Amino acid sequence: MIAGRHPADFQPLPGFANRHLQTLLPRILPRPALSLVDEILELPDGDFVELTWLDAPTLSAEAPVLVLFHGLEGSVDSPYARHLLRAAERRGWRAVLMHFRGCGKWPNRLPRAYHSGDTADARRLLERLARHYPSAPRVALGVSLGANMLLKLVAEDADNALGLTGAIAVAPPVNLAACADTLERGTARLYQRHLLGALKAKVAPRLVRRELPLALSHGDLGRCTTLRAYDDAITAPLHGFNDAADYYQRAAAAPLLGDIHLPTLILHAEDDPFMPPGLYDGLTLGPGIRLEIARHGGHVGYVEWRNGHPTSWLARRVERQLDEWSERATVSLPAFSQSGN
């Protein structure tokens, strides 16, 4: 994998290059049927996260491991999650998706939720996997909010104490403030409304039950008509930030990208409706980063025409990367090379 900036080889489904069509198409594609197993991971603070594993009882302890982190209000039922888990299964990888707190089947216990810079739970899981599968190549993959979180975690883990072979970040909103502004303009407001609806539906009953340390009424919640307003009123005070601006500044991955040495693939679509044009202009990329930018793709869309039907280019690109890293691990070569694929 050659570091630096590169054009992605994604070609959209003919007639469906539009950013909004690409964003929505994965929701209507057939979702792979998977055999899944759930697990509760208890956390040091008394809370928990829900894990969903591919059921793979015949895999050896040395089989490579893929760890998925979903996007805002995502889950194992998100279309991209199903396709990525299926990609791992096709390549013979063990795979697990970590639901952020409260995003699985059960509400979390503590008066808090999750956010774009919340790396502690992911670190806990990756440390556990390093103990359980010390001889296996281990790759982490984040999508959207989970991708920003993963990039921040990789940057924090400068000496790779987690022992990752590599990381993949799909559509990370590395400049949180700019992305929040983008969602307040034009058609993007429809996505903002959808995300806000999911967030409010989850937090409203907790406010009624007075489970959260917030002086916020149901009417106040209703007046949060943008993600920035929601983060200002709820996300920031719940997680120790002064306000939304403080949260966006401290949780964004953009200022940390130059510190990343771990082999890391970032996939970004220039027409992503969640993000401003030129998101990576002027940003310093660390020596481990390969940034692939596609002209089209929308937000975690990447639907192509292949073998006579629409399918996920994203899953196919991830499969290629998993193959490369597993092959390098098998022949005991470094996971990353500056000079060749």
Side-chain angles (χ1 to χ4, degrees):
M1 187 174 81
I2 303 175
R5 300 167 186 255
H6 303 267
D9 63 6
F10 170 66
Q11 295 296 323
L13 178 69
F16 291 86
N18 178 272
R19 64 175 65 192
H20 304 299
L21 290 175
Q22 279 290 323
T23 300
L24 297 173
L25 271 174
R27 297 181 175 275
I28 61 175
L29 290 181
R31 301 188 191 187
L34 302 170
S35 179
L36 303 172
V37 178
D38 294 331
E39 180 188 1
I40 298 295
L41 176 63
E42 296 288 343
L43 301 171
D45 63 1
D47 215 336
F48 68 95
V49 291
E50 297 175 54
L51 309 178
T52 299
W53 293 83
L54 274 177
D55 189 15
T58 62
L59 289 180
S60 73
E62 288 74 35
V65 181
L66 178 66
V67 187
L68 268 61
F69 302 105
H70 60 76
L72 182 64
E73 291 301 285
S75 75
V76 72
D77 293 322
S78 299
Y80 57 79
R82 294 284 172 151
H83 288 284
L84 292 171
L85 288 171
R86 180 70 180 96
E89 185 177 58
R90 280 195 298 261
R91 310 322 294 171
W93 284 57
R94 178 176 279 108
V96 58
L97 180 142
M98 187 195 90
H99 292 90
F100 291 109
R101 300 191 193 204
C103 288
K105 298 175 182 176
W106 310 102
N108 62 301
R109 299 175 189 135
L110 297 185
R112 55 156 297 170
Y114 65 99
H115 61 81
S116 295
D118 197 357
T119 59
D121 297 349
R123 179 182 292 275
R124 179 80 171 178
L125 172 58
L126 292 171
E127 288 172 344
R128 180 192 183 208
L129 294 175
R131 292 192 300 270
H132 285 197
Y133 304 106
S135 300
R138 298 181 302 280
V139 170
L141 187 158
V143 177
S144 197
L145 175 147
N148 182 86
M149 181 283 300
L150 178 59
L151 291 172
K152 185 170 181 287
L153 174 58
V154 168
E156 292 170 352
D157 187 37
D159 58 356
N160 195 20
L162 294 170
L164 290 174
T165 299
I168 302 174
V170 180
V174 294
N175 185 329
L176 295 172
C179 292
D181 290 343
T182 298
L183 285 168
E184 294 180 19
R185 296 193 290 265
T187 308
R189 289 177 294 181
L190 297 176
Y191 302 114
Q192 176 173 247
R193 186 183 306 166
H194 171 75
L195 293 170
L196 273 173
L199 289 166
K200 289 180 179 182
K202 186 178 291 182
V203 78
R206 302 194 74 182
L207 289 172
V208 170
R209 295 192 297 266
R210 300 185 183 276
E211 294 177 358
L212 304 176
L214 299 172
L216 203 68
S217 70
H218 185 75
D220 294 330
L221 180 63
R223 284 186 283 276
C224 292
T225 58
T226 66
L227 281 172
R228 184 182 289 272
Y230 181 92
D231 288 334
D232 208 41
I234 297 170
T235 308
L238 273 186
H239 302 104
F241 300 102
N242 296 329
D243 51 24
D246 182 44
Y247 161 44
Y248 294 158
Q249 180 180 5
R250 291 165 57 189
L256 307 175
L257 296 180
D259 300 329
I260 292 179
H261 291 256
L262 180 78
T264 299
L265 173 65
I266 300 177
L267 300 176
H268 172 69
E270 190 59 39
D271 68 350
D272 190 323
F274 286 43
M275 303 180 197
L279 180 64
Y280 289 89
D281 292 354
L283 293 184
T284 300
L285 303 182
I289 292 179
R290 178 184 175 92
L291 169 64
E292 293 188 4
I293 299 180
R295 288 184 59 198
H296 306 288
H299 187 66
V300 199
Y302 298 115
V303 177
E304 64 177 354
W305 184 260
R306 190 171 180 82
N307 298 326
H309 57 86
T311 188
S312 172
W313 173 88
L314 174 60
R316 188 165 66 87
R317 178 64 186 92
V318 167
E319 283 189 43
R320 289 192 349 238
Q321 195 57 56
L322 297 183
D323 283 348
E324 178 184 332
W325 282 334
S326 62
E327 287 168 7
R328 287 177 180 271
T330 299
V331 297
S332 300
L333 290 175
F336 175 78
S337 169
Q338 289 276 1
S339 58
N341 277 316

